[in-house]
Amino acid sequence: AQSVTQPDIHITVSEGASLELRCNYSYGATPYLFWYVQSPGQGLQLLLKYFSGDTLVQGIKGFEAEFKRSQSSFNLRKPSVHWSDAAEYFCAVGAGSGYSTLTFGKGTMLLVSP
Amino acid sequence: NAGVTQTPKFRVLKTGQSMTLLCAQDMNHEYMYWYRQDPGMGLRLIHYSVGEGTTAKGEVPDGYNVSRLKKQNFLLGLESAAPSQTSVYFCASRARTEKYSGANVLTFGAGSRLTVL
């Protein structure tokens, strides 16, 4: 079965600074990887996804993520954080493109300081 | 296009009471899911369905039952609610595709907040 680890429970970043949220997955074959964002009291919104092709994927709101098979990682990055990016971020893994279930990490709460 | 609709949005129960959460999707999706979200635990899969009339257990199925009598609806039932079931419940759905495509993405509902006293 697949699993996801998000090592950082909370991260605080100054507005305008760069951001990297870490995600490590465990799955034997090529995974289907996602990043979702959840604002307080809201549902989950897809930021980006990866299954194959270019290992650097672009998403909405200026986010990008890089798939590194050798490190079993799919870290999320943004060059300049805005106050509106404060939210909880979830990494998720599916067992290939025809996945039945999606397994989520425990989330990383991003706080943005002025 | 409403997407995924969950009802009710909020509910307070007493221990031992029963209730049903309804998830409805209008995207003709084959797969549907129920997750629960608790602080520091992320989203954990309760039950899921890969088609009308089929259901399967997820990571945390105990204390819950589900039914998928119609393709567009996925019901989550609590027969005898316990305080440990206080949580936010999310329903999600996706299309069945065998190859990589933009359809291989879960669409989530807005959530249902359940409190069991």
Side-chain angles (χ1 to χ4, degrees):
Chain A
Q2 65 269 26
S3 66
V4 177
T5 301
Q6 294 181 247
D8 303 305
I9 299 174
H10 297 98
I11 282 186
T12 300
V13 175
S14 299
E15 190 168 16
S18 63
L19 168 70
E20 182 168 26
L21 301 182
R22 295 183 291 165
C23 171
N24 293 99
Y25 69 90
S26 174
Y27 180 64
T30 301
Y32 204 160
L33 295 161
F34 303 81
W35 275 101
Y36 281 86
V37 61
Q38 184 182 34
S39 297
Q42 302 298 312
L44 280 81
Q45 181 182 22
L46 178 71
L47 284 176
L48 46 79
K49 63 185 185 290
Y50 171 81
F51 175 63
S52 65
D54 192 345
T55 57
L56 184 64
V57 293
Q58 303 297 320
I60 63 171
K61 304 185 179 186
F63 285 92
E64 66 178 26
E66 185 171 12
F67 172 62
K68 294 185 177 181
R69 185 186 298 275
S70 61
Q71 299 178 19
S72 297
S73 69
F74 188 57
N75 295 348
L76 182 71
R77 301 194 295 248
K78 187 171 185 179
S80 178
V81 169
H82 187 262
W83 64 267
S84 60
D85 293 324
E88 191 160 22
Y89 292 79
F90 294 95
C91 182
V93 61
S97 64
Y99 66 92
S100 293
T101 63
L102 200 58
T103 300
F104 285 81
K106 294 184 177 182
T108 297
M109 182 66 72
L110 173 65
L111 306 174
V112 181
S113 61
Chain B
N1 189 345
V4 178
T5 303
Q6 295 181 226
T7 53
K9 289 183 169 51
F10 301 93
R11 184 74 186 269
V12 178
L13 289 177
K14 295 180 179 179
T15 298
Q17 288 184 319
S18 64
M19 75 157 297
T20 300
L21 295 175
L22 170 63
C23 177
Q25 52 94 3
D26 61 1
M27 298 170 285
N28 203 34
H29 284 172
E30 288 84 3
Y31 288 39
M32 296 189 74
Y33 305 84
W34 276 109
Y35 286 88
R36 61 177 288 172
Q37 183 179 26
D38 304 289
M41 300 298 292
L43 278 80
R44 293 180 292 170
L45 183 64
I46 305 171
H47 287 279
Y48 66 102
S49 168
V50 299
E52 182 178 325
T54 72
T55 62
K57 294 180 180 179
E59 179 185 357
V60 289
D62 294 342
Y64 304 94
N65 56 75
V66 288
S67 64
R68 183 107 182 263
L69 299 179
K70 293 182 179 181
K71 185 177 184 179
Q72 64 268 33
N73 295 336
F74 194 30
L75 278 64
L76 178 71
L78 287 73
E79 290 186 349
S80 179
S84 61
Q85 294 178 303
T86 294
S87 187
V88 180
Y89 293 86
F90 285 98
C91 177
S93 71
R94 77 168 183 92
R96 176 187 293 140
T97 58
E98 296 304 320
K99 297 181 180 180
Y100 171 71
S101 78
N104 282 8
V105 174
L106 263 62
T107 299
F108 282 86
S112 298
R113 182 175 295 277
L114 174 65
T115 301
V116 182
L117 303 176

